[in-house]
Structure formats: C-alpha cells, structure tokens
Amino acid sequence: MGTKGRTIVSMDVERLVDLLRRAYSDEWLAYYQYWVGAKVVRGPNKEAAIQELIQHATDELAHATLLATRIIQLGGVPVTKPQEWYSLSNCGYAAPDDPFVLNVLDQNILGEQCAITSYNTLLALTRDGDPVTYNIVLGILQQEVEHEEDLQALREDIEVMLKGRTE
Ligand code: FE
Ligand code: FE
Ligand code: MG
C-alpha cells in the first residue's frame, strides 16, 4: 500500500490482514459450494435455484477479489494454498452430497447466516480503525444479507409448490 494510505490505518495491520485472509478463505469456499451446488442440484424449481446459485457464486468470487485487493494494499498476501482455506475459514464448507434442492438451499442459507455474523464482527472491528476496509466489508455484508433473503424466498416458493402438489 502507499505509505500515506497505511498511516490512516489506526488498528493492528497484522491482525487486520489475518482477519481478511480468513474472510477470503470463506469466500472461496462459498464460491465453490455455490458453483458445484448449481451443477448437482435436483428437484422442483431446479432452474430457478440454478440461476440463483450461479449468481451467488459470481458474487462470492467478486468478494474474494475485493478482499485480495485490500490484503495486498495492507502489505499482506492472499492465501496461496487452497488447503489452507479450511483451517482459516470461519464458516467452513458444506458439500452438497444430498443434491435435493431444499437441502442445497438450506446449506447455503446456513453459510450466508455465518457470513453475516462474521462480516458484522469485522465491521465492528474496523469501524474506527480502518475506514477503507470498513467500507469494503459493508458492501460485502449488504450482499450477504441479500443472498440470505433470496435463498429463503426461493425456499418458501418451493415449499408452497410442494404443498400444492400433495393437496
Ligand atoms: Fe461473500
Ligand atoms: Fe453470500
Ligand atoms: Mg440472489
């Protein structure tokens, strides 16, 4: 990062980079969970689910890009080995081994809820110490909130459809 840019960060930069690398690992795992979920998902309203999963995968990858850029600006290095994603991750990875659409949606809803909690924590930690990171995290958090709502709304639609069929 530029020398002046660094002086306006009033929190521990090493700690901040560590937190950002954890969030970065989460984003790659979330990206892949959505990406592979879109490939394997089965069941009613599958086409709508695939569209949503692909869109969210794209968004998670964009979050990873934003975090990598900020990590580098702060003098850090993004995680270079995928095997480290698991140990650094806050939210982990849920394999869509049961590809039924409601299961895949539930796994991703849990992932979004974890992301919301973890970005909200990061937001509180950067509020006073690093306005630039704060702004990036706020933008990501806004999208995670949207993601959760999109998935829950889709889940509701599918449940209504399934109920209608059995009545
Ligand atoms: Fe994300
Ligand atoms: Fe998300
Ligand atoms: Mg969406």
Side-chain angles (χ1 to χ4, degrees):
M1 177 162 70
T3 47
K4 188 67 182 175
R6 203 183 249 271
T7 63
I8 64 165
V9 179
S10 65
M11 63 187 290
D12 180 348
V13 173
E14 239 172 81
R15 170 151 188 255
L16 179 57
V17 166
D18 176 64
L19 294 169
L20 292 174
R21 292 174 91 247
R22 289 173 187 280
Y24 174 82
S25 300
D26 282 327
E27 292 297 352
W28 272 102
L29 292 173
Y31 163 74
Y32 190 69
Q33 189 176 312
Y34 275 122
W35 186 88
V36 78
K39 299 289 178 210
V40 300
V41 70
R42 294 288 176 270
N45 221 355
K46 163 182 116 158
E47 289 312 315
I50 290 171
Q51 286 314 305
E52 201 69 65
L53 297 171
I54 290 173
Q55 182 55 57
H56 289 196
T58 305
D59 292 343
E60 308 307 2
L61 196 55
H63 298 165
T65 303
L66 289 168
L67 293 168
T69 303
R70 187 61 184 149
I71 289 165
I72 290 165
Q73 285 175 352
L74 289 165
V77 181
V79 182
T80 56
K81 300 174 191 68
Q83 70 258 34
E84 291 181 1
W85 292 341
Y86 261 87
S87 52
L88 290 171
S89 168
N90 301 297
C91 296
Y93 177 80
D97 290 331
D98 171 1
F100 183 59
V101 62
L102 291 181
N103 180 61
V104 173
L105 291 176
D106 283 342
Q107 288 180 319
N108 287 305
I109 288 166
L110 283 176
E112 293 298 343
Q113 290 172 341
C114 179
I116 289 167
T117 301
S118 108
Y119 282 116
N120 198 42
T121 303
L122 197 49
L123 201 63
L125 289 168
T126 52
R127 181 171 282 121
D128 298 321
D130 181 2
V132 175
T133 299
Y134 176 86
N135 190 49
I136 292 165
V137 171
L138 181 59
I140 296 175
L141 178 60
Q142 281 171 343
Q143 280 203 321
E144 309 302 15
V145 166
E146 247 184 71
H147 287 171
E148 184 205 27
E149 207 275 327
D150 287 349
L151 298 178
Q152 285 179 335
L154 184 58
R155 198 192 191 291
E156 259 180 53
D157 285 354
I158 293 172
E159 281 205 307
V160 168
M161 267 180 59
L162 286 172
K163 255 194 166 173
R165 275 186 196 176
T166 55
E167 271 163 13

